[in-house]
Amino acid sequence: MTSTINKILDKLNLTSKDEGVPPKEPTEQEFKELRERYAKANQDQVLTFYDELSAADKAGLYERLSSIDPNYINDITQKALKPQSSGKEETKLEPLPESATASILDSKKEEIHSWYESGLDLVAEGKVAVVLMAGGQGTRLGSSAPKGCFNIGLPSQKSLFEIQAQRIWKVQQLAEKKSGKKDVVIPWYVMTSGPTRGPTEQFFQEHRYFGLGKDDVVIFEQGVLPCISNEGKILLESKSKVAVAPDGNGGLYQALLISNVRTDMRKRGIQHIHAYCVDNCLVKVADPVFLGFSASKDVDIATKVVRKRSAKESVGLILLKNGKPDVVEYSEIDSATAEAKDPKQPDILKFRAANIVNHYYSFRFLESIESWAHDLPHHVARKKIPYVDTEKGETIKPDKPNGIKLEQFVFDVFPMLDLKRFASMEVKREDEFSPLKNAKGTGEDDSDTSKKDILDQGKRWIYNSGGTVVSESGADEAGVEVSPLISYGGEGLEFLKDRTIKAPAVIEKEE
């Protein structure tokens, strides 16, 4: 069985090399075989400068090229550039059926509480893990550091990583309190990219893993794919390096195998996984309600959605496409469909389930990755990619897109599921979704809006607990930061009843 799996991984370019071992220069025969392989695939331009390289650079280039199957790259490039059409059949879009959905906005309090309690039970039993997709850098935010290191300007100055780590800690504590058990653990698997892995590891070490167990925070790396020219050629970043780019958040599935994360989950007895993106400051990490809901439906994948703000909001939608669960991008939907109203609730949109990349997976489903990983499509992102001109040997920095990067999306697997194995939960945007996408001062999805959303949430929690918030200037505008160490979702704030909090403020402990 193991050898079969390894063959599949080799075919998919998913096997990894031993880390920390310097590459060895190939023998003459090994290099000959490599050159022939690339020549047959019409990709031997990557070896143009091989003879003039140092021994170390030869070894490095050989190792990278040995890990790539040029025929596979040619194949996925062609499929991505010329996707097969299903003919002239009309695409049928429908909302998910009620049997596959729930809404925090409409569900009974008793039902939500039941999901919450059962979710905490799963945590206490050691059956829950969290996967964080944190491969992005903060380039658009004006930072070269991993996005999770970013400080959004809260009074506490906490980073996104710290906020999310403290939410995990709090859920562990809530599960301990409910069950009476000690040392409840939710392992946190943090997926980085090549450029962010080192800085992420260093950040966690410097902050002592934010109070979580070192052995329970596993940092791993997503895969890469070569960058391709508009002519279909693998590009060189330098004379000794192939230009590569992360393989998209859909590379998560492959990375779980390469890094042995799935093996670690199996050893721990994990059955339920929450996966999300790092840039959402309001994310309810390891949300007991979501876990309880998903487990009660016995699904393989569930996804959180928020209600679309308007027909023109540029977001992907979770829906049925030709009878299969899928994500359809805003650009793929015509105006009439986008503006259609729900027949049962005429004041809201028919298609309103906005995708926020916040998912549940059953472990049994992740055990099947090898059977479907090769069927996931690759998508084309046209980019300006610096490269070495193989004729002149010069590095070129193009001023317009000169090539493509290939990437996969986590939701590409959704249509492969039977509908009975898929579910969706609608949550309140103001409680659970505030993405950080843009530079400060943009006014939308930036650090200012992220900060405001957390402070506004804290203020709502205090009001709901019987407290009052006023700003130092007397206006009722500033909010309050409530530490996750004190409250995960607004619970446990009874000590603030009848108290007036002067904002801005941080509630870090009971006093």
Side-chain angles (χ1 to χ4, degrees):
M1 177 66 179
T2 302
S3 62
T4 303
I5 290 172
N6 286 337
K7 285 178 182 177
I8 294 172
L9 295 179
D10 279 328
K11 174 73 176 172
L12 293 173
N13 186 30
L14 306 185
T15 48
S16 58
K17 306 292 181 183
D18 293 333
E19 293 183 14
V21 180
K24 292 170 61 177
E25 187 176 353
T27 64
E28 190 174 325
Q29 181 61 30
E30 287 172 334
F31 176 70
K32 181 183 177 184
E33 290 173 0
L34 182 80
R35 183 183 283 281
E36 287 177 355
R37 188 152 57 95
Y38 275 80
K40 284 181 181 178
N42 202 24
Q43 293 284 8
D44 53 336
Q45 76 286 345
V46 294
L47 293 164
T48 300
F49 308 104
Y50 185 83
D51 291 338
E52 61 187 77
L53 301 179
S54 67
D57 283 346
K58 284 180 179 178
L61 181 60
Y62 176 82
E63 182 181 58
R64 170 62 80 187
L65 292 175
S66 296
S67 73
I68 297 169
D69 178 349
N71 290 309
Y72 172 68
I73 298 302
N74 286 344
D75 183 47
I76 64 174
T77 300
Q78 282 303 110
K79 286 179 179 176
L81 290 172
K82 299 177 181 178
Q84 287 186 338
S85 172
S86 56
K88 295 183 179 179
E89 293 179 15
E90 192 173 330
T91 300
K92 185 179 181 182
L93 302 180
E94 302 169 278
L96 289 174
E98 289 184 7
S99 59
T101 63
S103 175
I104 295 298
L105 286 70
D106 304 327
S107 296
K108 294 177 181 178
K109 287 184 178 180
E110 297 79 15
E111 194 171 31
I112 296 171
H113 182 71
S114 174
W115 292 329
Y116 177 79
E117 293 284 301
S118 61
L120 282 183
D121 289 341
L122 295 174
V123 172
E125 291 163 10
K127 295 179 179 178
V128 171
V130 170
V131 173
L132 166 59
M133 291 171 274
Q137 290 172 287
T139 311
R140 289 168 67 180
L141 312 177
S143 168
S144 60
K147 195 179 276 189
C149 302
F150 197 78
N151 173 357
I152 61 174
L154 291 171
S156 68
Q157 301 298 303
K158 289 175 184 175
S159 65
L160 292 172
F161 279 142
E162 183 168 5
I163 294 166
Q164 292 163 22
Q166 291 185 347
R167 288 184 184 140
I168 291 175
W169 181 90
K170 186 61 176 179
V171 174
Q172 291 176 167
Q173 186 191 59
L174 291 168
E176 287 178 1
K177 185 177 180 180
K178 181 178 187 296
S179 66
K181 295 180 180 179
K182 291 185 177 180
D183 302 320
V184 169
V185 168
I186 301 172
W188 196 16
Y189 300 96
V190 181
M191 186 177 78
T192 64
S193 60
T196 63
R197 180 170 187 168
T200 299
E201 289 176 332
Q202 183 179 352
F203 195 75
F204 273 80
Q205 290 164 6
E206 289 173 352
H207 292 84
R208 300 184 180 183
Y209 299 88
F210 307 104
L212 301 176
K214 178 182 177 181
D215 294 337
D216 301 318
V217 179
V218 179
I219 297 172
F220 66 109
E221 192 174 322
Q222 71 184 102
V224 295
L225 287 169
C227 299
I228 311 295
S229 74
N230 287 336
E231 293 71 42
K233 298 290 187 179
I234 296 173
L235 292 169
L236 289 174
E237 173 188 313
S238 69
K239 292 182 178 181
S240 62
K241 284 187 178 179
V242 177
V244 296
D247 53 7
N249 59 21
L252 166 68
Y253 306 117
Q254 301 168 356
L256 292 175
L257 304 189
I258 301 167
S259 60
N260 291 319
V261 161
R262 188 180 65 176
T263 301
D264 188 68
M265 289 180 178
R266 189 185 300 117
K267 287 177 180 176
R268 292 175 184 259
I270 299 301
Q271 294 182 19
H272 310 277
I273 296 96
H274 178 216
Y276 69 97
C277 284
V278 73
D279 60 5
N280 177 11
C281 69
L282 290 179
V283 62
K284 298 185 78 169
V285 190
D287 178 16
V289 174
F290 188 42
L291 291 164
F293 163 77
S294 304
S296 72
K297 305 278 287 182
D298 193 29
V299 294
D300 284 329
I301 296 179
T303 183
K304 281 191 178 186
V305 299
V306 295
R307 193 165 290 183
K308 198 175 176 185
R309 284 192 183 119
S310 69
K312 294 185 178 180
E313 185 181 6
S314 182
V315 290
L317 294 174
I318 305 280
L319 41 63
L320 285 184
K321 181 178 179 181
N322 297 330
K324 294 285 188 179
D326 210 339
V327 174
V328 176
E329 296 299 337
Y330 171 71
S331 57
E332 301 175 58
I333 299 176
D334 60 44
S335 297
T337 303
E339 293 170 6
K341 299 295 185 180
D342 188 328
K344 294 182 179 179
Q345 304 178 74
D347 56 332
I348 60 176
L349 295 170
K350 179 180 180 181
F351 296 99
R352 57 184 179 273
N355 177 34
I356 59 174
V357 196
N358 193 323
H359 308 311
Y360 161 92
Y361 296 94
S362 71
F363 185 74
R364 71 179 173 221
F365 179 70
L366 297 184
E367 287 279 38
S368 70
I369 290 174
E370 292 87 349
S371 68
W372 45 260
H374 58 285
D375 292 327
L376 290 180
H378 288 81
H379 304 272
V380 169
R382 298 193 179 274
K383 301 285 186 178
K384 293 184 283 188
I385 306 169
Y387 69 101
V388 171
D389 185 324
T390 52
E391 292 184 4
K392 300 178 181 178
E394 299 173 354
T395 299
I396 309 294
K397 291 188 176 181
D399 54 11
K400 59 182 180 180
N402 64 306
I404 62 172
K405 295 181 179 181
L406 296 169
E407 56 186 3
Q408 294 177 311
F409 302 144
V410 287
F411 58 72
D412 285 328
V413 74
F414 291 2
M416 298 180 188
L417 285 180
D418 189 300
L419 181 56
K420 68 182 180 182
R421 292 295 186 191
F422 185 87
S424 175
M425 171 180 272
E426 182 185 56
V427 297
K428 293 180 180 178
R429 186 189 290 252
E430 63 269 27
D431 283 338
E432 299 204 33
F433 187 54
S434 179
L436 178 60
K437 304 287 186 186
N438 303 314
K440 182 178 175 65
T442 307
E444 183 178 355
D445 296 344
D446 64 8
S447 58
D448 292 331
T449 58
S450 293
K451 172 185 173 181
K452 183 178 187 302
D453 287 341
I454 284 187
L455 297 181
D456 284 352
Q457 182 183 64
K459 184 166 66 173
R460 288 195 303 274
W461 287 354
I462 291 170
Y463 279 132
N464 292 340
S465 300
T468 305
V469 178
V470 296
S471 75
E472 292 178 340
S473 62
D476 190 24
E477 295 175 358
V480 177
E481 179 184 357
V482 176
S483 169
L485 300 178
I486 288 294
S487 183
Y488 178 81
E491 82 295 330
L493 299 176
E494 294 81 8
F495 68 96
L496 295 175
K497 185 177 181 181
D498 298 328
R499 286 179 55 183
T500 298
I501 307 298
K502 288 187 177 181
V506 184
I507 309 295
E508 199 78 62
K509 56 187 177 181
E510 286 191 38
E511 58 180 22

